[in-house]
Amino acid sequence: MMYRGGVVLVLVVAAASLPAHAEDCRSVDPARSSVSFELEQAGSPFRGDFRRFGGEVCLSGTGATRIEVWLDPASVDAGLPEIDAALKGSDFFAVERYPRVAYSSRSIESTAPMQIARGMLKMKGESRPLDVPFSLRRADGHVVLSGTLILDRLKYGIGTGEWSNTKWLGGEVKVKFSATLSGPS
Amino acid sequence: MRWRNTDQSYGILAQGLHWLIAVLVFAQLGLGLYAAGLPLGIARLEWLTRHKSLGLAVLALVLLRLLWRLVSAPPALPESMSKRERFAAVTTHRLLYALLIAAPLAGWLYASAAGLSVNWFGLFQVPDLVAKNAHRAALYKSLHHGFVALLALLLVGHIGAALRHAFVLRDRIMHRMLPWTRPPA
């Protein structure tokens, strides 16, 4: 009897704790978020932005528990029409074949004050594991995730042919993001 | 030969700067025209990067030359020249100086507004003059081209006049800028 009572107790406790574990998932508010990149051209920093992106972040009491985000590489905006056109072309993002860049986390570790998402980045048909460190804060009643990461563009085939020359076009791309989640904090 | 200008001839420093700037300006005309005609690619990035570094060198040398004119006055134009000739000479020289400053300056503004900053011959980062702005970049590009076209026109006049002094008038005006000639006895 004690044994059976124990099982019941475990089930009751598990059921009672369900709401606390339910995921609080929110969408990224594009109007209040940004994704920018920076790499070296001829030894000087060159910057640009992506204008269309979105996704969902799930939260628990302590932080983020799941991240699923995407961006449209055709929305690249480096400020120069000629360069934007090249970035959309087959040597860079090949946006007609690969219209979406996506990241999804497998797990998220907390290493206060930061968190690190471990997951996969899919870009230009190439899926690679990527750790994304970020911080989560609450501002103006909204949850904001932000961080910076460094990507090796050549691993994803971003800049093929003559553009793989990293002396004139740096191989490391610094990506900065800030995602404001919709809904109250 | 003297460093300083005399009332008969330019000194070594003024002559050296004149001819160095002359060589660089012609190199710049060639480089700029060549690079601007290349398709977007590493070669264009390479040559335009050199063009930008050289252009800033020209700007610095021209400013140095103007400064030296203040320290050591250039030889006066001889009485043998008519009023109209002197006016033409003085005006052309002033416009040449103005354009030798304006053309690289507009190029620098163009590079800044385009977000394509300059790392001077890979030695140091040159500050941007203005923030990145596509519309302004187009404006500065036109200005740069306009100033260069005017400069090229004036150079035709300048060189034509110098050759006239040397071979038609034979008044030794051009010889004042030649390092290997001696002042008349």
Side-chain angles (χ1 to χ4, degrees), chain A residues 41-48 78-83 86 162-163 165 167-169, chain B residues 39-46 49-50 52 114-119 125 132 134 137:
Chain A
Q41 63 81 24
S44 289
F46 181 74
R47 299 177 187 89
L80 297 167
E82 194 183 14
I83 290 179
E162 62 168 328
W163 295 112
N165 179 334
K167 185 190 167 204
W168 291 96
L169 193 67
Chain B
L40 183 64
I42 293 289
R44 189 163 114 196
L45 182 58
E46 252 186 86
T49 297
R50 287 172 189 141
K52 291 182 208 173
L116 293 163
S117 323
V118 190
N119 193 318
Q125 189 63 48
K132 191 166 172 173

Side-chain angles (χ1 to χ4, degrees), chain B residues 127-169:
Chain B
D128 288 334
L129 294 180
V130 290
K132 191 166 172 173
N133 179 314
H135 293 291
R136 283 196 173 185
L139 171 74
Y140 294 135
K141 183 183 184 177
S142 307
L143 270 179
H144 182 57
H145 290 173
F147 288 150
V148 169
L150 273 177
L151 180 61
L153 269 178
L154 275 174
L155 283 178
V156 171
H158 177 66
I159 293 165
L163 294 176
R164 176 171 170 262
H165 283 292
F167 298 111
V168 181
L169 303 175

Side-chain angles (χ1 to χ4, degrees), chain A residues 73-91:
Chain A
S75 70
V76 67
D77 178 5
L80 297 167
E82 194 183 14
I83 290 179
D84 288 345
L87 291 178
K88 292 173 203 173
S90 57
D91 276 344

Side-chain angles (χ1 to χ4, degrees), chain B residues 16-70:
Chain B
L17 284 170
H18 171 273
W19 291 107
L20 180 58
I21 291 166
V23 168
L24 289 179
V25 164
F26 278 101
Q28 280 294 79
L29 284 169
L31 252 178
L33 282 172
Y34 170 70
L38 290 173
L40 183 64
I42 293 289
R44 189 163 114 196
L45 182 58
E46 252 186 86
W47 289 109
L48 277 181
T49 297
R50 287 172 189 141
H51 178 73
K52 291 182 208 173
S53 289
L54 271 181
L56 287 169
V58 169
L59 179 59
L61 289 169
V62 170
L63 292 175
L64 191 64
R65 213 174 138 198
L66 280 172
L67 205 67
W68 182 241
R69 274 179 82 103
L70 294 178

